[in-house]
Amino acid sequence: MSKPNIIITIDGPAGSGKSTVTKRLAERLGLDCLDTGAMYRVVAWVLRKQNQEDLSGEALTLLIKGLDFTIEGNGPAQKVWIEGKDISQEIRTPEISRLASAMSMKAEVRSVLAEKQRALGKQGGLIAEGRDMGTVIFPRADYKFFLDASLDVRAKRRYKELIQRGQTLSLGEVRQEMEARDRQDQERTLAPLRPAADALVIDTSDFSIEEVVQLICSRIFHGTNASFGDLLPA
Ligand code: DC
Protein backbone atom coordinates (compact mmCIF):
# COMPACT_ATOMS: atom_id res chain seq x y z
CA MET A 1 0.00 0.00 0.00
CA SER A 2 1.41 3.40 -0.87
CA LYS A 3 1.71 5.89 1.96
CA PRO A 4 -0.58 8.90 2.13
CA ASN A 5 1.38 12.06 1.42
CA ILE A 6 0.69 13.58 4.82
CA ILE A 7 2.75 14.85 7.74
CA ILE A 8 1.69 14.53 11.36
CA THR A 9 3.72 16.36 14.01
CA ILE A 10 3.93 15.29 17.64
CA ASP A 11 5.76 17.67 19.96
CA GLY A 12 6.13 17.78 23.71
CA PRO A 13 8.52 17.56 26.66
CA ALA A 14 10.42 14.47 27.85
CA GLY A 15 8.19 11.77 29.29
CA SER A 16 5.01 13.07 27.65
CA GLY A 17 4.63 9.77 25.76
CA LYS A 18 5.68 11.15 22.35
CA SER A 19 7.92 8.28 21.27
CA THR A 20 5.61 5.42 22.19
CA VAL A 21 2.57 7.18 20.78
CA THR A 22 4.46 8.01 17.57
CA LYS A 23 5.61 4.42 17.18
CA ARG A 24 2.15 2.94 17.71
CA LEU A 25 0.44 5.49 15.52
CA ALA A 26 2.97 4.95 12.73
CA GLU A 27 2.36 1.18 12.87
CA ARG A 28 -1.39 1.66 12.83
CA LEU A 29 -1.45 4.20 10.02
CA GLY A 30 1.37 2.69 7.94
CA LEU A 31 3.54 5.81 8.15
CA ASP A 32 7.25 6.28 8.81
CA CYS A 33 8.42 7.97 11.98
CA LEU A 34 11.11 10.54 12.55
CA ASP A 35 12.56 10.91 16.05
CA THR A 36 14.30 14.28 15.91
CA GLY A 37 15.32 14.09 19.58
CA ALA A 38 17.49 11.09 18.63
CA MET A 39 19.24 13.30 16.03
CA TYR A 40 20.16 15.85 18.72
CA ARG A 41 21.33 12.98 20.91
CA VAL A 42 23.60 11.64 18.14
CA VAL A 43 25.20 15.08 17.75
CA ALA A 44 25.68 15.34 21.53
CA TRP A 45 27.18 11.82 21.64
CA VAL A 46 29.68 12.64 18.87
CA LEU A 47 30.72 15.98 20.37
CA ARG A 48 31.17 14.32 23.77
CA LYS A 49 33.19 11.47 22.29
CA GLN A 50 35.48 13.91 20.48
CA ASN A 51 35.69 16.30 23.41
CA GLN A 52 34.35 19.03 21.14
CA GLU A 53 31.40 20.38 23.13
CA ASP A 54 32.74 23.93 22.69
CA LEU A 55 33.00 23.72 18.91
CA SER A 56 31.12 26.45 17.02
CA GLY A 57 30.81 28.17 13.64
CA GLU A 58 31.81 26.57 10.34
CA ALA A 59 33.77 23.77 12.03
CA LEU A 60 30.67 22.65 13.94
CA THR A 61 28.47 22.93 10.84
CA LEU A 62 30.88 20.83 8.79
CA LEU A 63 31.23 18.22 11.50
CA ILE A 64 27.45 17.72 11.76
CA LYS A 65 26.96 17.78 7.98
CA GLY A 66 29.53 15.02 7.65
CA LEU A 67 27.93 12.67 10.20
CA ASP A 68 26.86 9.35 8.77
CA PHE A 69 24.14 8.04 11.09
CA THR A 70 20.95 5.99 10.81
CA ILE A 71 17.91 6.02 13.08
CA GLU A 72 15.45 3.15 12.74
CA GLY A 73 12.06 3.25 14.45
CA ASN A 74 10.94 4.79 17.72
CA GLY A 75 10.54 3.70 21.33
CA PRO A 76 12.49 1.04 23.26
CA ALA A 77 13.32 -1.07 20.18
CA GLN A 78 14.78 1.90 18.29
CA LYS A 79 18.18 1.31 16.66
CA VAL A 80 20.71 4.08 16.13
CA TRP A 81 23.99 3.55 14.30
CA ILE A 82 26.86 5.84 13.55
CA GLU A 83 29.44 4.68 11.06
CA GLY A 84 28.38 1.09 11.68
CA LYS A 85 28.52 1.32 15.50
CA ASP A 86 25.30 0.66 17.43
CA ILE A 87 24.85 3.56 19.87
CA SER A 88 21.15 2.97 20.62
CA GLN A 89 21.74 2.65 24.38
CA GLU A 90 24.61 5.12 24.71
CA ILE A 91 22.52 8.06 23.49
CA ARG A 92 19.88 7.41 26.18
CA THR A 93 21.95 8.23 29.27
CA PRO A 94 21.10 11.24 31.50
CA GLU A 95 24.44 12.80 30.51
CA ILE A 96 23.56 12.72 26.81
CA SER A 97 20.02 14.00 27.56
CA ARG A 98 21.55 17.02 29.27
CA LEU A 99 24.11 17.59 26.55
CA ALA A 100 21.58 17.15 23.72
CA SER A 101 19.46 19.88 25.28
CA ALA A 102 22.52 22.16 25.64
CA MET A 103 23.70 21.51 22.06
CA SER A 104 20.19 22.09 20.71
CA MET A 105 20.54 25.75 21.71
CA LYS A 106 23.26 26.25 19.08
CA ALA A 107 22.14 27.75 15.76
CA GLU A 108 24.65 25.66 13.78
CA VAL A 109 23.26 22.42 15.21
CA ARG A 110 19.62 23.38 14.63
CA SER A 111 20.23 24.59 11.13
CA VAL A 112 21.96 21.42 9.85
CA LEU A 113 19.47 19.11 11.57
CA ALA A 114 16.51 21.18 10.32
CA GLU A 115 17.75 20.72 6.77
CA LYS A 116 18.01 16.94 7.24
CA GLN A 117 14.56 16.81 8.86
CA ARG A 118 12.87 18.76 6.07
CA ALA A 119 14.57 16.56 3.46
CA LEU A 120 13.22 13.46 5.24
CA GLY A 121 9.73 15.01 5.22
CA LYS A 122 9.77 15.80 1.49
CA GLN A 123 8.00 12.59 0.50
CA GLY A 124 5.40 12.91 3.27
CA GLY A 125 3.99 9.74 4.84
CA LEU A 126 5.66 10.73 8.08
CA ILE A 127 5.01 11.27 11.78
CA ALA A 128 7.66 13.71 13.03
CA GLU A 129 8.26 13.93 16.75
CA GLY A 130 10.29 16.50 18.68
CA ARG A 131 10.06 19.98 20.17
CA ASP A 132 9.63 22.25 17.12
CA MET A 133 8.05 20.02 14.49
CA GLY A 134 4.72 21.86 14.37
CA THR A 135 6.13 25.34 14.98
CA VAL A 136 9.29 25.51 12.85
CA ILE A 137 10.12 22.43 10.78
CA PHE A 138 6.70 21.47 9.38
CA PRO A 139 4.49 24.54 9.96
CA ARG A 140 2.11 23.30 7.22
CA ALA A 141 1.77 19.79 8.64
CA ASP A 142 -1.63 18.19 8.08
CA TYR A 143 -2.17 17.33 11.74
CA LYS A 144 -0.38 18.72 14.78
CA PHE A 145 -0.40 17.38 18.31
CA PHE A 146 1.36 18.52 21.47
CA LEU A 147 1.57 15.96 24.25
CA ASP A 148 2.12 17.04 27.83
CA ALA A 149 1.75 15.60 31.33
CA SER A 150 2.49 16.73 34.88
CA LEU A 151 6.15 16.77 35.90
CA ASP A 152 5.51 14.03 38.50
CA VAL A 153 3.92 11.70 35.97
CA ARG A 154 6.63 12.32 33.38
CA ALA A 155 9.43 11.81 35.92
CA LYS A 156 7.91 8.50 37.04
CA ARG A 157 7.63 7.29 33.43
CA ARG A 158 11.24 8.22 32.66
CA TYR A 159 12.48 6.71 35.95
CA LYS A 160 10.84 3.38 35.09
CA GLU A 161 12.39 3.48 31.63
CA LEU A 162 15.90 4.22 32.98
CA ILE A 163 15.66 1.46 35.60
CA GLN A 164 14.64 -0.98 32.85
CA ARG A 165 17.76 0.07 30.94
CA GLY A 166 19.83 -0.81 34.02
CA GLN A 167 20.63 2.77 35.08
CA THR A 168 20.73 3.73 38.74
CA LEU A 169 19.20 7.13 39.44
CA SER A 170 16.71 8.06 42.13
CA LEU A 171 13.25 9.31 41.19
CA GLY A 172 14.17 12.69 42.74
CA GLU A 173 17.24 13.00 40.51
CA VAL A 174 15.25 12.13 37.40
CA ARG A 175 12.60 14.70 38.34
CA GLN A 176 15.20 17.40 38.94
CA GLU A 177 17.03 16.72 35.66
CA MET A 178 13.77 16.74 33.78
CA GLU A 179 12.67 20.04 35.26
CA ALA A 180 16.01 21.66 34.36
CA ARG A 181 15.89 20.29 30.81
CA ASP A 182 12.27 21.42 30.33
CA ARG A 183 13.20 24.92 31.42
CA GLN A 184 16.19 25.00 29.08
CA ASP A 185 14.14 23.69 26.12
CA GLN A 186 11.30 26.14 26.81
CA GLU A 187 13.40 29.23 27.44
CA ARG A 188 15.90 28.99 24.59
CA THR A 189 15.67 31.66 21.91
CA LEU A 190 15.75 29.32 18.90
CA ALA A 191 12.72 27.11 18.30
CA PRO A 192 11.68 26.84 21.96
CA LEU A 193 9.46 24.02 23.13
CA ARG A 194 5.87 25.21 22.82
CA PRO A 195 2.68 24.06 21.11
CA ALA A 196 1.95 25.42 17.63
CA ALA A 197 -1.11 27.69 17.63
CA ASP A 198 -2.99 25.09 15.57
CA ALA A 199 -1.88 22.01 17.53
CA LEU A 200 -4.23 19.91 19.64
CA VAL A 201 -2.74 19.85 23.14
CA ILE A 202 -3.29 16.55 24.95
CA ASP A 203 -2.54 16.12 28.65
CA THR A 204 -1.56 12.44 28.84
CA SER A 205 -1.21 12.32 32.67
CA ASP A 206 -4.30 10.15 33.15
CA PHE A 207 -4.36 8.42 29.78
CA SER A 208 -2.89 5.15 28.62
CA ILE A 209 -0.84 5.11 25.41
CA GLU A 210 -3.74 3.40 23.65
CA GLU A 211 -6.18 6.10 24.77
CA VAL A 212 -3.89 8.83 23.41
CA VAL A 213 -3.52 6.96 20.11
CA GLN A 214 -7.33 6.62 19.90
CA LEU A 215 -7.80 10.31 20.62
CA ILE A 216 -5.35 11.26 17.88
CA CYS A 217 -7.00 8.88 15.41
CA SER A 218 -10.44 10.28 16.21
CA ARG A 219 -9.15 13.80 15.60
CA ILE A 220 -7.69 12.72 12.26
CA PHE A 221 -10.85 11.00 11.15
CA HIS A 222 -13.19 13.60 12.72
CA GLY A 223 -15.30 10.90 14.30
CA THR A 224 -16.41 9.77 10.85
CA ASN A 225 -16.35 6.22 9.55
CA ALA A 226 -13.48 7.13 7.25
CA SER A 227 -10.47 4.87 7.33
CA PHE A 228 -6.90 5.84 6.70
CA GLY A 229 -7.16 4.54 3.15
CA ASP A 230 -9.51 7.47 2.47
CA LEU A 231 -6.58 9.82 2.98
CA LEU A 232 -4.63 8.17 0.20
CA PRO A 233 -4.24 10.13 -3.01
CA ALA A 234 -6.82 9.01 -5.60
O1 DC B 1 13.09 14.03 22.71
P1 DC B 1 14.46 13.84 23.38
O2 DC B 1 14.36 13.82 24.88
O3 DC B 1 15.18 12.65 22.86
O4 DC B 1 15.30 15.16 22.97
C1 DC B 1 16.59 15.42 23.47
C2 DC B 1 16.87 16.91 23.42
O5 DC B 1 17.00 17.33 22.05
C3 DC B 1 15.81 17.83 24.02
O6 DC B 1 16.03 18.06 25.39
C4 DC B 1 15.93 19.09 23.21
C5 DC B 1 16.47 18.64 21.88
N1 DC B 1 15.47 18.63 20.82
C6 DC B 1 15.20 19.83 20.18
O7 DC B 1 15.75 20.86 20.56
N2 DC B 1 14.36 19.85 19.11
C7 DC B 1 13.74 18.75 18.69
N3 DC B 1 12.93 18.81 17.65
C8 DC B 1 13.97 17.51 19.36
C9 DC B 1 14.83 17.49 20.43
Side-chain angles (χ1 to χ4, degrees):
M1 190 172 97
S2 67
K3 286 192 195 87
N5 183 24
I6 65 162
I7 292 196
I8 300 174
T9 61
I10 303 194
D11 289 302
S16 57
K18 290 190 310 285
S19 295
T20 326
V21 167
T22 298
K23 180 174 184 285
R24 207 174 286 185
L25 202 59
E27 283 166 2
R28 191 153 316 168
L29 304 181
L31 299 172
D32 290 331
C33 39
L34 172 64
D35 177 358
T36 59
M39 296 173 108
Y40 285 92
R41 287 172 182 274
V42 169
V43 168
W45 183 89
V46 170
L47 293 173
R48 179 80 209 83
K49 212 59 179 174
Q50 301 187 358
N51 247 323
Q52 301 252 45
E53 291 103 315
D54 295 331
L55 203 63
S56 63
E58 189 64 10
L60 178 57
T61 301
L62 285 176
L63 187 146
I64 305 171
K65 276 194 173 162
L67 292 180
D68 175 19
F69 63 89
T70 318
I71 300 170
E72 252 181 42
N74 267 50
Q78 181 185 65
K79 283 285 169 208
V80 180
W81 287 276
I82 184 148
E83 276 142 27
K85 179 178 161 59
D86 182 348
I87 56 166
S88 317
Q89 295 300 321
E90 289 178 37
I91 61 161
R92 297 284 158 194
T93 63
E95 186 197 5
I96 295 296
S97 299
R98 234 179 353 255
L99 194 61
S101 175
M103 295 301 116
S104 74
M105 293 162 75
K106 297 188 182 211
E108 300 92 327
V109 176
R110 298 210 76 84
S111 144
V112 179
L113 292 188
E115 207 175 298
K116 287 185 195 276
Q117 291 158 9
R118 290 197 182 104
L120 289 166
K122 263 229 155 73
Q123 301 302 317
L126 191 71
I127 308 182
E129 100 162 78
R131 303 286 188 288
D132 61 344
M133 296 297 103
T135 50
V136 175
I137 305 296
F138 301 115
R140 292 164 174 275
D142 301 271
Y143 302 96
K144 297 182 184 180
F145 300 92
F146 187 94
L147 306 190
D148 208 348
S150 71
L151 179 61
D152 280 335
V153 167
R154 292 189 293 113
K156 275 186 198 142
R157 287 176 183 162
R158 185 47 54 89
Y159 173 71
K160 222 169 117 186
E161 214 179 282
L162 288 169
I163 295 297
Q164 273 165 4
R165 287 180 197 269
Q167 302 197 21
T168 50
L169 266 103
S170 71
L171 177 59
E173 284 168 320
V174 174
R175 191 181 190 282
Q176 216 169 23
E177 291 243 345
M178 198 170 238
E179 199 172 15
R181 186 149 70 100
D182 282 355
R183 196 172 319 117
Q184 185 156 272
D185 291 344
Q186 283 160 353
E187 292 180 358
R188 69 177 179 227
T189 324
L190 293 171
L193 166 67
R194 61 177 170 77
D198 50 350
L200 176 70
V201 179
I202 303 173
D203 184 335
T204 69
S205 303
D206 300 319
F207 288 160
S208 68
I209 294 293
E210 186 51 31
E211 283 169 330
V212 179
V213 171
Q214 290 286 345
L215 193 64
I216 290 179
C217 285
S218 68
R219 170 73 165 214
I220 293 174
F221 300 120
H222 305 290
T224 67
N225 289 327
S227 74
F228 203 61
D230 299 328
L231 300 177
L232 286 168

